[in-house]
Amino acid sequence: MCWRSVLCGGVFVIAGKRGQKDDWDIYSFHINSTVTSRYATTVITSRVANRMNESKEIEFHVRIPKNAFISKFRMFIDGQVYDGVVKAKEQAQQQYTEAVSRGESAGLVSSVGRTLEEFKTSVTVAAHKKVTFELTYEELMKRTHGKYELQIHARPMQPVSDFKVDVHIHEEAGISFINVKGDLSTKALANAWVYFYPTVNQQKMCDSCSDQGMNGDLVIVYDVNRDNGLGHIKKSDGYFVHHFAPSDLPRVPKNVVFVIDQSGSMRGRKILQTRTALFHILNDLAEDDYFGLITFDGNIFHWKRELVQANSKNLESAKNFASNIQARGSTDINQALLQGARMLNDHRREGSASILILLTDGDPTSGVTNLENIQSNVRQAIAGKFPLYCLGFGFDVNFNFLEKMSLQNNGVARRIYEDSDADLQLKGFYEEVATPLLTDVTMIYVGGTNLTQTNFSQYYNGSEIVVAGEITDNNIETFTPQVVGISVRMDSQYSSRVWAYLTVKQLLDKELQLSGPEKEKVKKEALELSLKYSFVTPLTSMVVTKPPGENTDVLHKPKEGKTPQRWQPPVDQSFSRQYLAPSIHLSGSPIGEYHKHKKTEINEMLHNLYF
Ligand SMILES: *[C@@H]1O[C@H](CO)[C@@H](O)[C@H](O)[C@H]1NC(C)=O
Ligand SMILES: *[C@@H]1O[C@H](CO)[C@@H](O)[C@H](O)[C@H]1NC(C)=O
Ligand SMILES: *[C@@H]1O[C@H](CO)[C@@H](O)[C@H](O)[C@H]1NC(C)=O
Ligand SMILES: *[C@@H]1O[C@H](CO)[C@@H](O)[C@H](O)[C@H]1NC(C)=O
């Protein structure tokens, strides 16, 4: 089971001395994930018995995806239920501080890995008593590279006699393919049930698992069927969710400028990986793309001062330039980005999509170094005309700065983890934006209100635009996107929770860009929604209630900060993932009938909306 034994060795650093077999016993561990139209609700239920004749502190310790919001946590002890309560962060903090001042050593929880966060709490259980922990988290899966990926991390920390992972996927449009680390695939089925019930012996099969039992990821990759129209609109309970991901549009030629940090800190493996990634990326450019290459330290180096066409002669010359990138000197991010923006601004082309990509591993140290001044300069130079993507290499970057700057310019920031696969991470990111299909996308909903983001500067093949909102007065008659067949067989909470999830995520992005009273207003909105829907977000915390006299735990959502709070071996990285091999069961009838709507009408609408 441990097919990368090199990496499995370093995995069990956290177990400590607790959880021995003669101590307490996890006799049942269930993970139950239900995915309805890409919205995943996962419940982890762990049942533990204290086999000792004295009371024991029993720990619950799991990992969940970074993108998820915890929405519920409860403990059942001796017929009593203890429900975690989501509160505004300050309020929770106060409760926590009070606990500390009473001499209770309340411990903060959570830490950050590459894709996972840690949830940890403990409770004292009397001799020969049992406790059940139940954690619920929710996540809207994001489509990248043409697929959705559901990651479930299974690591109960000891072999468990009743160990079950169940994943139920319901996609009304039909699943176009599903892949569970194997080669299973199918067409046009609405439901999939993936299950994994290993015996205790199977849980010990991994070389290094031994007494610690299972440790691995169940990774389910799938996509859904799509027609060529406006996509799917699901309505329920006065809310709607619109998934829009056409793939048969022609690609829009792009103009892309890579701005690459070659300051001294990039020396060694980072610069090698950057070169490798650049080679691949240059190879992938299409002949009608235009591109530019800038490297910078304290100075700016243009490969060419203007954008040039990606023909074979230019590509050869660019590769030659890339292979000679040397790391030295300081970091002038401001000047480098302004030059990149200038190149794109000088090269306006009808019907093309411009993209600016910055790769850096450190803070600005020369030229303009005041972060706000840089942000304002860059914003002015770009003026909303194209997106800026910032790739922060390693943990010496001020990621907040990069994130804010990207968001201010319609892009996103991404962390590149300093590891042997960094070149693949860079290439992977580039591939996400490599094929623009639409630019300046505006989604319009007559009869819809409280909409999540409706303007998108570019839409890339393999991704997806998701908009949710309320239907005005719950009046389906006046809600016009007259599209696709909608099934009413769905969880009535679905749409409103997706709406809340998206709204909170987007308000948090907005909050990051604002300052002063506007920031406070947006923050307040995000806080209210987080509280209403009981999401543990960066603005809220969950106070874990426990039996009287016990420490209070306060759970925070960790931030993608400058340095990880507690850096751990890269157990959750894609290249080191240890996959679990479950069984899969597909059901449901082919859904050929689902999208039989007037195709021309839809195409017309699409045309009117987007061109
Ligand atoms: C999993 O969750 C779904 C939805 O809440 C529920 O219907 C189902 O019974 C659960 N399955 C198990 C095995 O607990
Ligand atoms: C617990 O059991 C051990 C032996 O199994 C015994 O020595 C000890 O006295 C017991 N303690 C209590 C509190 O009953
Ligand atoms: C977009 O992706 C789909 C599926 O991966 C592919 O069939 C199609 O050719 C791509 N479109 C373009 C313009 O590359
Ligand atoms: C939704 O919009 C209506 C008006 O269109 C407004 O009265 C209401 O407060 C909004 N709800 C939320 C949660 O923002």
Side-chain angles (χ1 to χ4, degrees):
M1 205 143 290
C2 192
W3 54 280
R4 296 263 183 160
S5 49
V6 186
L7 290 148
C8 293
V11 157
F12 300 105
V13 282
I14 321 157
K17 55 190 185 317
R18 288 207 202 94
Q20 304 302 317
K21 196 92 192 118
D22 60 348
D23 192 332
W24 45 272
D25 173 30
I26 303 175
Y27 62 94
S28 165
F29 192 84
H30 289 182
I31 301 179
N32 183 9
S33 190
T34 307
V35 184
T36 306
S37 299
R38 291 75 120 185
Y39 196 70
T41 304
T42 304
V43 182
I44 302 178
T45 310
S46 176
R47 296 184 171 84
V48 190
N50 179 5
R51 304 283 188 215
M52 303 292 279
N53 62 359
E54 56 190 349
S55 64
K56 273 276 158 204
E57 191 184 358
I58 290 181
E59 196 176 81
F60 176 68
H61 186 171
V62 294
R63 291 178 175 177
I64 68 166
K66 264 189 188 177
N67 253 329
F69 288 148
I70 287 172
S71 56
K72 199 172 183 185
F73 176 68
R74 40 197 349 201
M75 293 187 279
F76 302 80
I77 309 167
D78 218 8
Q80 229 8 74
V81 186
Y82 300 90
D83 264 303
V85 184
V86 175
K87 298 189 172 179
K89 202 159 194 164
E90 294 75 25
Q91 220 184 336
Q93 192 65 32
Q94 194 183 344
Q95 198 157 344
Y96 166 75
T97 314
E98 280 166 12
V100 172
S101 70
R102 283 199 305 270
E104 299 168 359
S105 62
L108 284 190
V109 208
S110 64
S111 81
V112 192
R114 204 191 274 195
T115 58
L116 297 167
E117 280 170 9
E118 219 157 58
F119 176 97
K120 191 158 101 173
T121 188
S122 65
V123 69
T124 304
V125 176
H128 304 297
K129 292 286 185 192
K130 293 174 177 173
V131 56
T132 298
F133 299 100
E134 191 187 279
L135 175 74
T136 305
Y137 60 87
E138 302 177 28
E139 176 189 19
L140 181 65
M141 281 188 278
K142 203 169 167 196
R143 188 167 184 258
T144 46
H145 302 297
K147 55 195 195 294
Y148 306 98
E149 189 176 296
L150 180 69
Q151 178 184 13
I152 290 179
H153 192 69
R155 190 185 61 151
M157 316 263 270
Q158 57 173 252
V160 177
S161 56
D162 173 28
F163 187 123
K164 285 184 177 174
V165 184
D166 286 274
V167 181
H168 294 270
I169 301 174
H170 309 285
E171 294 291 351
E172 283 158 15
I175 294 165
S176 63
F177 77 89
I178 183 162
N179 186 331
V180 190
K181 188 234 144 196
D183 269 316
L184 281 163
S185 70
T186 183
K187 279 198 273 275
L189 291 166
N191 302 307
W193 170 37
V194 178
Y195 60 95
F196 181 58
Y197 300 166
T199 64
V200 168
N201 273 341
Q202 285 167 338
Q203 292 170 47
K204 293 179 182 172
M205 264 164 63
C206 157
D207 297 341
S208 58
C209 286
S210 63
D211 291 344
Q212 302 276 8
M214 189 59 73
N215 181 352
D217 286 308
L218 180 64
V219 176
I220 299 170
V221 174
Y222 74 96
D223 198 14
V224 302
N225 293 327
R226 302 173 192 283
D227 66 3
N228 304 322
L230 273 177
H232 307 155
I233 297 191
K234 291 193 69 154
K235 301 179 208 159
S236 72
D237 214 19
Y239 287 84
F240 75 90
V241 181
H242 183 189
H243 290 268
F244 177 68
S247 66
D248 72 334
L249 299 166
R251 60 179 287 283
V252 175
K254 64 182 179 294
N255 317 307
V256 58
V257 172
F258 302 96
V259 178
I260 299 190
D261 186 343
Q262 59 170 19
S263 62
S265 51
M266 288 285 287
R267 192 169 294 134
R269 191 165 72 162
K270 282 199 255 183
I271 205 80
L272 285 175
Q273 289 169 322
T274 302
R275 279 192 221 139
T276 309
L278 260 180
F279 267 65
H280 286 297
I281 289 168
L282 291 171
N283 278 335
D284 281 353
L285 290 174
E287 177 119 25
D288 57 355
D289 288 339
Y290 278 70
F291 73 107
L293 209 49
I294 291 175
T295 62
F296 70 99
D297 41 54
N299 298 307
I300 310 297
F301 304 88
H302 291 88
W303 163 60
K304 295 260 196 300
R305 289 199 65 84
E306 311 301 330
L307 290 193
V308 300
Q309 192 175 356
N311 58 31
S312 53
K313 182 168 146 278
N314 286 333
L315 288 174
E316 273 320 302
S317 157
K319 281 189 226 166
N320 196 30
F321 176 83
S323 65
N324 285 315
I325 299 176
Q326 300 297 335
R328 64 187 163 216
S330 51
T331 314
D332 187 351
I333 291 180
N334 182 68
Q335 194 53 28
L337 279 180
L338 294 187
Q339 281 298 320
R342 178 199 58 81
M343 287 175 78
L344 288 168
N345 280 326
D346 285 354
H347 186 90
R348 306 300 294 171
R349 256 204 302 166
E350 271 297 295
S352 69
S354 293
I355 300 170
L356 184 56
I357 300 179
L358 167 73
L359 173 70
T360 180
D361 76 332
D363 294 344
T365 55
S366 69
V368 178
T369 54
N370 177 297
L371 303 183
E372 276 173 18
N373 290 350
I374 299 176
Q375 280 160 348
S376 128
N377 292 345
V378 169
R379 198 172 186 172
Q380 217 168 4
I382 292 178
K385 283 176 285 193
F386 43 83
L388 165 68
Y389 297 100
C390 294
L391 305 175
F393 205 151
F395 277 97
D396 292 328
V397 289
N398 181 339
F399 196 75
N400 259 349
F401 160 67
L402 296 182
E403 199 170 24
K404 183 168 174 179
M405 193 159 60
S406 311
L407 289 168
Q408 285 176 335
N409 296 287
N410 301 308
V412 293
R414 192 66 69 74
R415 169 96 69 200
I416 302 296
Y417 292 83
E418 232 180 299
D419 251 312
S420 57
D421 70 337
D423 54 330
L424 297 178
Q425 296 175 53
L426 288 169
K427 183 166 172 279
F429 170 78
Y430 166 76
E431 280 166 358
E432 283 177 37
V433 300
T435 317
L437 296 183
L438 294 168
T439 61
D440 305 311
V441 184
T442 304
M443 313 288 279
I444 297 161
Y445 303 90
V446 178
T449 175
N450 296 331
L451 303 173
T452 62
Q453 186 184 340
T454 52
N455 288 302
F456 303 87
S457 69
Q458 298 180 353
Y459 161 71
Y460 304 105
N461 203 15
S463 72
E464 183 168 60
I465 288 173
V466 184
V467 181
E470 273 182 64
I471 298 168
T472 312
D473 306 325
N474 199 3
N475 187 347
I476 294 180
E477 306 295 304
T478 56
F479 184 72
T480 24
Q482 44 183 152
V483 234
V484 289
I486 287 113
S487 162
V488 269
R489 285 177 295 110
M490 72 175 94
D491 180 348
S492 70
Q493 283 224 310
Y494 167 78
S495 297
S496 67
R497 290 197 81 82
V498 179
W499 171 80
Y501 177 98
L502 273 177
T503 305
V504 170
K505 287 242 164 195
Q506 292 170 4
L507 286 173
L508 291 171
D509 283 350
K510 211 154 134 197
E511 189 246 359
L512 205 61
Q513 304 170 53
L514 296 169
S515 57
E518 277 185 315
K519 187 184 185 79
E520 289 312 310
K521 181 169 163 279
V522 166
K523 202 164 157 179
K524 184 161 166 280
E525 251 178 272
L527 172 62
E528 278 166 7
L529 270 184
S530 304
L531 291 172
K532 180 168 175 208
Y533 285 85
S534 169
F535 288 141
V536 179
T537 68
L539 301 178
T540 54
S541 302
M542 182 184 275
V543 176
V544 177
T545 52
K546 293 188 187 179
E550 282 207 52
N551 301 340
T552 307
D553 279 348
V554 179
L555 311 172
H556 300 298
K557 177 123 187 111
K559 243 183 128 84
E560 184 67 65
K562 188 173 165 114
T563 45
Q565 292 173 346
R566 188 152 45 92
W567 183 239
Q568 277 165 3
V571 290
D572 59 359
Q573 299 176 2
S574 54
F575 73 100
S576 69
R577 265 184 197 167
Q578 192 190 332
Y579 294 104
L580 308 177
S583 312
I584 185 163
H585 181 87
L586 297 147
S587 65
S589 50
I591 315 274
E593 296 294 300
Y594 192 64
H595 285 310
K596 265 171 72 186
H597 285 251
K598 297 155 255 168
K599 199 166 157 187
T600 39
E601 193 180 304
I602 288 167
N603 281 340
E604 239 176 70
M605 250 184 96
L606 186 65
H607 194 268
N608 291 340
L609 274 177
Y610 303 109
F611 299 99

